[in-house]
Amino acid sequence: MVFFSSLKNLFSRRDKRTSNASSLQQAASKKKGLAYSNGNQHSSNKSTAANSPANSTTNNSSNGHSFQYKDGRRYHGDSDVAYVLPNDDDEADRVHQQHWILRYALQSNYQAPVTDQLEKGITVLDSGCGPATWTFEMGEAWPNSTFHGIDASCVFPENIKPANVEFVIGNIAKEIPYPDNTFDYVHQRLLLLGLTNDDWENALKELYRVLKPGGYIELAEPDLQDLENMGPILRKLQYTMSDMLKSRNMPNKVACELEDRLIRAGFVNTKLKMTPLKLNHTDKAGKLLWDDYKHGYSNVRPVMAQIVPEWQDAEVYARFLADCGVEAEKNKTNVNWYACYAQKPTQ
């Protein structure tokens, strides 16, 4: 994994969080057999944001380069994109580290039974690829296969990539710019903060169209409403998230709906797996997952504060998140991770 290791260094921040995630990458790499057994140009977001007003909009004629800046953070500027998190370097770094934490905790990059096909060589779509950590690692692990990443914003590197990895900019809820029956396997995860109810329906229609008959689709999401062993402090956090999503016509329990949504979209042979992920307890993975959880909730504070106005004060919100972490550790709270795969009918 020499190529991907160098790429990881390029996009990782050199702080304690990166150091911890690097140790997980090394541990996960040693277990590669288990990990795989189951199943236009990138610009500096930080420098651009630093030279932009606190609240402004920047448009570029190229798709994927329409941004707006709020309180020093960069967000999508496209009104058709529902994504509520920033799309700047800090958020890209968080998603990058999140990949290594999830791979270590789940001991797999996927659940669908596509290992033999990946070895022989297939065409794969990473839907909503973001900074493309999954795409790059899979591309290097399976050199006989071809991987295509698609995202509504240009947050992926285009000039440094394996020869079998390509990217396009596109809104999966509108139109996926590939012909019918292109892909053997479609992978999508962690879009619960990026798709409305209508977007989910439209995206699954498009993914059905571009998937080959008999091909596999896999969706994975966490349940961010009901955690295992959740105390009153975390309950307030999770149900505020739920209320925020519902206020934007976004499904608040989409993780629990993945199988039903796939069936309604026409897919068959569904298989659902739920894995409880430790949150701030028991081992290093649990501690690192909490670091990511806290970071993600910090980045979504502006929209959460629309539901709980006192959270407009960043210090008040930070103290509340710290209390959530203490409660999660005490109660041994878990986040339920749902992964569901299915096939497109052969006829």
Side-chain angles (χ1 to χ4, degrees):
M1 299 184 68
V2 176
F3 172 87
F4 196 82
S5 296
S6 63
L7 183 73
K8 178 178 184 295
N9 291 333
L10 177 65
F11 287 97
S12 296
R13 294 188 185 278
R14 301 188 182 281
D15 56 12
K16 182 177 180 180
R17 177 168 52 86
T18 298
S19 177
N20 287 338
S22 296
S23 67
L24 284 189
Q25 180 200 0
Q26 294 169 4
S29 297
K30 293 178 181 178
K31 300 180 181 180
K32 179 179 176 182
L34 177 61
Y36 295 109
S37 63
N38 287 324
N40 281 324
Q41 189 172 0
H42 182 63
S43 60
S44 174
N45 302 334
K46 283 182 290 231
S47 61
T48 304
N51 295 321
S52 300
N55 296 281
S56 64
T57 301
T58 301
N59 290 307
N60 187 299
S61 58
S62 301
N63 289 334
H65 293 273
S66 177
F67 310 125
Q68 55 181 323
Y69 294 88
K70 298 179 182 178
D71 300 321
R73 302 302 300 269
R74 194 183 80 173
Y75 296 84
H76 287 285
D78 186 345
S79 60
D80 289 332
V81 176
Y83 200 65
V84 299
L85 282 161
N87 69 350
D88 53 18
D89 279 357
D90 176 76
E91 175 61 15
D93 283 346
R94 184 190 70 81
V95 174
H96 180 72
Q97 304 299 340
Q98 181 185 65
H99 167 80
W100 298 113
I101 296 167
L102 287 173
R103 178 153 92 87
Y104 183 84
L106 296 167
Q107 291 296 290
S108 178
N109 270 331
Y110 56 88
Q111 297 295 326
V114 294
T115 300
D116 289 344
Q117 297 177 52
L118 288 167
E119 184 66 41
K120 293 176 183 177
I122 57 174
T123 306
V124 179
L125 177 67
D126 188 13
S127 175
C129 65
T133 325
W134 185 93
T135 327
F136 274 95
E137 189 188 6
M138 290 291 288
E140 188 169 60
W142 306 105
N144 293 331
S145 292
T146 302
F147 295 83
H148 297 257
I150 179 172
D151 201 271
S153 188
C154 186
V155 293
F156 43 77
E158 294 186 287
N159 295 331
I160 305 176
K161 56 185 177 61
N164 62 335
V165 172
E166 298 292 341
F167 297 104
V168 297
I169 295 172
N171 186 343
I172 62 169
K174 301 299 179 182
E175 181 180 5
I176 297 176
Y178 291 99
D180 296 357
N181 308 321
T182 298
F183 298 100
D184 301 280
Y185 172 48
V186 171
H187 170 269
Q188 177 181 294
R189 72 180 183 187
L190 291 166
L191 291 189
L192 75 167
L193 297 181
L195 298 175
T196 65
N197 280 295
D198 290 340
D199 288 342
W200 275 98
E201 183 175 350
N202 295 336
L204 288 177
K205 286 180 180 177
E206 277 294 280
L207 294 173
Y208 185 95
R209 179 184 64 79
V210 300
L211 186 63
K212 293 179 182 178
Y216 283 94
I217 181 173
E218 179 175 337
L219 308 177
E221 300 288 348
D223 180 1
L224 290 188
Q225 177 175 288
D226 297 300
L227 310 185
E228 289 185 1
N229 306 323
M230 178 172 60
I233 304 175
L234 271 167
R235 181 179 177 84
K236 179 178 180 178
L237 181 70
Q238 303 310 133
Y239 273 75
T240 300
M241 168 66 77
S242 182
D243 290 343
M244 182 275 291
L245 291 171
K246 288 188 288 186
S247 74
R248 294 168 176 265
N249 191 32
M250 302 170 81
N252 59 310
K253 293 275 289 183
V254 72
C256 304
E257 303 168 355
L258 295 178
E259 187 169 26
D260 287 341
R261 287 178 179 269
L262 285 169
I263 292 171
R264 290 201 302 269
F267 296 98
V268 297
N269 302 328
T270 59
K271 184 171 182 180
L272 178 67
K273 180 179 181 180
M274 190 278 284
T275 305
L277 301 179
K278 296 181 286 290
L279 190 63
N280 206 30
H281 64 86
T282 303
D283 55 22
K284 179 64 75 174
K287 296 294 184 180
L288 288 174
L289 183 63
W290 169 249
D291 289 344
D292 172 71
Y293 208 76
K294 181 175 64 175
H295 193 175
Y297 268 97
S298 296
N299 284 355
V300 83
R301 180 181 63 84
V303 290
M304 296 285 278
Q306 294 174 13
I307 307 297
V308 181
E310 68 188 58
W311 289 349
Q312 293 176 9
D313 186 321
E315 292 185 0
V316 170
Y317 189 66
R319 288 195 296 269
F320 181 83
L321 289 181
D323 290 341
C324 287
V326 172
E327 184 181 81
E329 182 178 21
K330 178 181 177 181
N331 293 350
K332 296 192 181 302
T333 302
N334 297 323
V335 180
N336 289 331
W337 177 268
Y338 290 80
C340 187
Y341 65 80
Q343 287 180 286
K344 182 175 178 176
T346 55
Q347 293 182 347

